[in-house]
Amino acid sequence: MTVIEKIQKICPEAQVSTSGDTIVTVPSDSLAAVAEALRNDDQEPMDYLRDIVGMDWSEGLGALYYLESSKTYGRVVLKTVARDRDEAWLPSVCHWWRTAEIKEREIYDFFGIRFIGNPDMRRIFLREDWKGYPLRKDYDMDSNPLNMENEENADDTVEYYLKPDGTVEGHRNILFDQKDFVVNIGPQHPSTHGVLRMRTSLDGETISRIDPILGYIHRGIEKMNESLTYPQTLALTDRLDYLSAHQNRHALCMCIEQAMGLEVSRRVQYIRTIMDELQRIDSHLLFYSCLVMDMGGLTPFFYGFREREMILDIFEETTGGRLIQNYNVIGGVQADIHPTFQQKVKEFIKHLRSVIQDYHNIFTGNVIATTRLKGVGILTREQAISLGATGGTGRAAGWANDVRKHHPYALYGEVDFKEVLYTEGDSFARYMVRMDEIMESCHIIEQLIDNIPEGETRLKTKPIIKLPEGNFSASVETSRGEFGVMLESHGDKTPYRLHYRSTGLPLVHAMDTACRGNKIADLIAIGGTMDFVIPDIDR
Amino acid sequence: MEVKKKTAIRSMQYDEFKNNDYLEQMVRDLNRDGAGIILGSVDDLINWGRSNSLWSLTFGTSCCAIEFMALGAARYDMARFGFEVTRNSPRQADMIMVLGTITHKMAPVLRRLYDQMAEPKYVVAVGGCTISGGPFRKSYHVVNGIDQIVPVDVYIPGCPPRPEAFYYGMMQLQRKIKVQKFLGGVNRQEKKPKDMDSND
Amino acid sequence: MNNNSFLDYYNIQDLNTAIHEALLSVMPQWLAILLEGLAVGLLIIVLYAVLAIILIYMERKVCARFQCRIGPNRVGGKGGLLQVPADVLKILTKEIISLKGSDRFLYNLAPFLVILASIFTFSCLPWNKGAEILRMNIGIFFVLAASSIGVLGILLAGWSSNSKYTIIGAVRSGAMIISYELSIGLTVLTMVLLSGTMDIQNIVMSQDRMWNIFRGHLPAVAAFIVYLIAGNAEANRGPFDLAEAEQELTAGYHTEYSGMHFGFFYLAEYLNLFITSGIAVTLFLGGWMPLHFPGLDGFNAVMDYIPGVIWFVSKTFLVVFLLMWIRWTFPRLRIDQVLTLEWKYLMPLSLLILLIMTVCVVFGITL
Amino acid sequence: MSNFSEYIQGYVQGVKSLLIGMRTSMKVFCQKPVTEQYPENRHTTLHIPERHRARLVMVHDEENHHHCVACGICQMACPNDTIKVVSETYEDEDGKKKKRLVRYEYDLGACMFCQLCVNACPHDAIRFSNDFENAVFQREKLYMVLNNEGSSCAPKK
């Protein structure tokens, strides 16, 4: 029995559309029943909620639920529309997938859809006194001028419930008590890797609760996308998770190419794969550097950056950019690889293999480091799946979630590589996953670098690209987890809605779970090993 | 010609710098009142100290901050200029390098940090986002240029700028400091409140 | 005191006496003492400042080398020698901010307490034969007592700033220093036991045959290591810099200090490094005493040609380098690890060392 | 007893790992620094990759001709209105109405270096240069006019 048949068994009125991705539309009344059945299915439990995408269709506000099974890796998309535009509400699914807690907040913030039963319905990215919901199609862009007053944050949250007469009402949940010692970590803090702010209540040095406050770098990229042409949208992907610039852009290019029915050449596939892996090494080296620096060891920070500069050199020769590369374009890559590219990559890998032992000697084996990392900030496999903590964080807990392995794209189906898995789920495992992945990436590159076939590096495309109507999506494994592109086209030259699955948002959400009961110093170490990049979260 | 001597930077020619007209204008304005020779040489000494000891408050919000880290790393080594003492507390910093997009939510924080800094203080706007909103200038949540919030001393364009471009901008700032008069008007460029809020 | 003729040659005790007598011949005694006091005070402060500048410069250069970079090299000649003076000049001209909601008096007092503590201990260092500023028969005891004033300054700084980060930093520092004083006290006691005196100059003198670290062999080496770790912790330096912990508490207890107030904390941090090393050198490596081995009279005599002050300073900088090496290698400990290290590892160890040393001394198993 | 031996083992292991760390850092201490010294190396070893995008420039030949026909495709391609092409229409000898470039305005302070303008240009009139030294004191200085004074469009061959 396929997933769709299962859904239709529970909810006969479910409709299936197949323009682009297969999407099952269920009425909002039966969403809860369908969600529960899918989540608790025996053969194919849809236990991983990839993302919830809020939408403003002409028929009303609604959401798309992207589900995946951690057992069979099967995927399904649910669509549901809220009844009333002005008083829109949907049932919350956070009882089955904890990651919904934060994703529903995002949709509330952008679209004003209230989720019944979600314990925390505050704004997430925008100020609490923000007027209107920016991603609605009728939002007035000038309605919120710059407000220089300091923002006061409430110590409680709202939870909505449905009264018997069908109206929605809220009651307040206490977050921080009067007697809690609440320390603000961030938004401008040396080790939050950007402008994350964590309101942390402490009991001595022990953390009793963390409330992440996001949005300090929310740039409204998704709204901007709706008025940009497809080639223009590409430029902004580099600025999401700038340490996975290639991979992000790869995902969007793949998505658009798939919608256009464009097949890029083998040469491009090779180049993209190599670049993705170089980017991964780059990001993981930076991860090592930052983690070590956050833990107070300044010297190893410089080791990581020393090697990272070599990658940046390689990048810059070919792409012209060190951090923001603008390399992938629709139908290929911006320019052919530089003549010295292959030789330099090989030299780099040789060099990296010779120095990586120093990294381990100075940090990994160090008794201070191991005792600070081992057994700290444990996320179990079930927690990781429920929280949607993909990437190294999930793999450290034993959840095999590598998109490259389970939904291969580019050349990942053809190369030989190992999916690095640990089972401890603690900070040390998260650290080791990344360190091992550096070596795996080297291994992948070595298989490809000498065999790049000749071919077109860039297919000619029309100056104005129009995509057919429908929903399209693509996902890649970036340096820190699954990055997804969810695109809805209405046949125009601009996307109707272009949503990115943030890799970091679930990770930040997992911080509270992982940190409780640990020390402040552990907060820094756990945050470091979670390895999130804030601009990617806030978008 | 006095400007040329004053704003000399090691290994760089005067003409290799852009926007020199601004410095010349500044010196003309400052010299209008005239200053004693003794006062002048004390000024020069203090300015030498100040320009060579720019401790920056790290205010990285996005991409440019990573390039700033690269700047501090071994390859580019900020320490050569004595910039490596980055302070995390605004009280101890001399300049604030704004690295990355400033959003509406962040703007009051930036202003507050700027107010918390001890005089004399400088602002360097790095990257397109801080100068004009850059890639995101059409967004509903991005400040189009931090000069709306704080007075900016040097603009370093780029998205993000190369590490060398950072140095070029920092040297520009050093040159600006060198022609200022510490004993007359560098402090209190803006009126400021009497007591500061605590930094928690 | 058999063949230390050259050591006496460098002794400045006679010079001191001569100056004192010369002054007495032209002015009354109270004025002479006042003048001498002023001169010595000035000397300490100048020495203090100069040493701090040298140490900061050294730290910046050394850490640069550990991190495969160059370090300051653009201010004042090729080596960047004038970088730190430029910083000092800058700090002197920075505004000192007064805070709303802070305890003004204590807030302003705290940096002076920290500086005071380090100047007190600094004055006790024996630079050469006859060249010490404070000499008393319980000298080493005084050093321990005076250095504890510093923690008071840190606690006050943290508390009076009225900020949450500073208070966490201060409390961490308090907890840490109180713990590590134990180990320091015990290891110092070990050496006092070996030397048989608490007077710092006499401790140095007692090493004229051989440095304590050789004389006390195994227990002395162990005590030296324990002292270095504990002293490092007490100087609040990495990997024990929890009180500042940039990545956790922005700047720890001195987050709210600006201008010269912050400068005091900054100077004191480096001087404490020097003092810790200086005391370590005095106790274990013979202070200003040249390298002597019993029986090698010729060698000993050659060593004596080098003045004591050079011996002292070079040995101290060697230990300073060792501590920098440690600092720039290890990640920071967590507060519970810091306390575990002290109470579960160092404390028992130093007690054991004390016991062994007692046995050694009683049975004469020292070299 | 096993507890005690574990304690001792922990001791030894810990000290050993610390010593390995110190050995590693000393090894690097003795290596040559990898620092590149800008601005000392400005005219010597400084290498900027040719493809690096630091500033948009308009290509001019020796006779002060550029290739811009003021079609405005670059302006359309730009995602954030960095480029403004000011043109005028004139009548050529045959009496045909033609467009020519007056000012090619470019805001370096807003450019995101996405290369869409260069890709879009049908005549290769613009390209990115390596000149990264652009820091200035005044915001106005970042608004640039790219066509040289008195320049004109190259005649068709």
Side-chain angles (χ1 to χ4, degrees), chain A residues 131-245:
Chain A
K131 290 190 280 295
Y133 302 100
L135 263 81
R136 286 191 183 186
K137 289 286 177 188
D138 54 2
Y139 175 74
D140 173 15
M141 292 292 260
D142 301 319
S143 56
N144 285 283
L146 179 59
N147 180 358
M148 288 300 288
E149 264 161 53
N150 280 322
E151 183 189 7
E152 295 294 330
N153 290 99
D155 283 340
D156 48 14
T157 66
V158 188
E159 178 174 346
Y160 291 102
Y161 59 92
L162 207 55
K163 288 210 297 197
D165 61 353
T167 52
V168 177
E169 202 157 286
H171 70 89
R172 309 203 77 82
N173 286 340
I174 304 284
L175 265 182
F176 294 111
D177 225 321
Q178 275 292 318
K179 55 180 191 295
D180 279 336
F181 184 75
V182 182
V183 176
N184 246 329
I185 298 184
Q188 186 42 45
H189 191 270
S191 52
T192 50
H193 297 217
V195 285
L196 175 64
R197 173 168 165 217
M198 286 183 278
R199 297 179 79 204
T200 311
S201 77
L202 293 178
D203 176 17
E205 286 250 353
T206 312
I207 296 163
S208 47
R209 184 185 195 119
I210 292 179
D211 176 31
I213 295 181
L214 305 165
Y216 287 97
I217 189 74
H218 172 63
R219 296 155 296 187
I221 289 181
E222 289 180 10
K223 181 77 177 177
M224 288 172 71
N225 279 339
E226 292 172 13
S227 52
L228 295 176
T229 64
Y230 288 104
Q232 288 177 340
T233 57
L234 283 179
L236 298 180
T237 51
D238 281 19
R239 282 139 182 112
L240 285 166
D241 173 1
Y242 37 71
L243 295 174
S244 309

Side-chain angles (χ1 to χ4, degrees), chain A residues 122-123 126-130 151-154 213, chain B residues 105:
Chain A
R122 284 172 297 161
R123 287 217 177 246
L126 303 168
R127 290 173 63 116
E128 282 175 11
D129 52 7
W130 191 268
E151 183 189 7
E152 295 294 330
N153 290 99
I213 295 181
Chain B
K105 198 169 178 173

Side-chain angles (χ1 to χ4, degrees), chain C residues 137-243:
Chain C
N137 54 3
I138 51 155
I140 198 73
F141 190 62
F142 176 78
V143 168
L144 289 181
S147 67
S148 316
I149 301 176
V151 68
L152 194 63
I154 290 177
L155 278 173
L156 282 184
W159 184 78
S160 65
S161 304
N162 188 25
S163 158
K164 285 168 183 165
Y165 284 133
T166 60
I167 192 84
I168 298 175
V171 169
R172 279 184 176 185
S173 166
M176 203 166 80
I177 292 184
I178 289 168
S179 313
Y180 279 82
E181 294 251 291
L182 275 171
S183 282
I184 293 196
L186 286 172
T187 43
V188 167
L189 203 58
T190 316
M191 285 302 112
V192 169
L193 201 68
L194 187 61
S195 305
T197 171
M198 282 174 93
D199 182 338
I200 295 181
Q201 278 291 2
N202 287 348
I203 290 178
V204 178
M205 294 297 223
S206 72
Q207 306 181 49
D208 69 332
R209 217 163 48 80
M210 215 193 312
W211 295 351
N212 271 348
I213 197 161
F214 303 123
R215 221 152 64 88
H217 50 88
L218 213 64
V221 172
F224 180 61
I225 293 168
V226 172
Y227 177 84
L228 274 189
I229 296 172
N232 209 3
E234 192 157 281
N236 263 332
R237 283 178 54 83
F240 301 97
D241 53 348
L242 284 93

Side-chain angles (χ1 to χ4, degrees), chain C residues 227-283:
Chain C
Y227 177 84
L228 274 189
I229 296 172
N232 209 3
E234 192 157 281
N236 263 332
R237 283 178 54 83
F240 301 97
D241 53 348
L242 284 93
E244 289 172 45
E246 282 198 3
Q247 284 78 17
E248 293 153 35
L249 307 172
T250 59
Y253 61 90
H254 59 63
T255 303
E256 298 290 343
Y257 282 88
S258 60
M260 205 52 218
H261 276 166
F262 162 66
F264 281 157
F265 285 118
Y266 201 60
L267 290 188
E269 183 195 330
Y270 284 95
L271 252 293
N272 285 341
L273 168 68
F274 185 82
I275 293 162
T276 304
S277 316
I279 300 284
V281 165
T282 309
L283 289 176

Side-chain angles (χ1 to χ4, degrees), chain A residues 125 134 144 148 151 188 195 214 216-219 223-224 239 242 290 302 305 309 313 316 322-324, chain B residues 58 63 66-67 69-70 72-73 75-76 101 103-106 111 135 139-141 149 159-160 162-163:
Chain A
F125 294 132
N144 285 283
M148 288 300 288
E151 183 189 7
Q188 186 42 45
V195 285
L214 305 165
Y216 287 97
I217 189 74
H218 172 63
R219 296 155 296 187
K223 181 77 177 177
M224 288 172 71
R239 282 139 182 112
Y242 37 71
C290 290
F302 289 84
F305 262 80
E309 283 294 336
D313 272 351
E316 203 180 10
R322 285 162 52 87
L323 194 67
I324 307 286
Chain B
T58 46
C63 331
I66 303 294
E67 282 299 76
M69 279 159 88
R75 169 88 164 271
Y76 295 102
T101 326
T103 60
H104 282 210
K105 198 169 178 173
M106 198 63 176
R111 179 70 220 185
S139 165
Y140 55 88
H141 200 242
I149 311 169
C159 195
R162 289 183 65 77

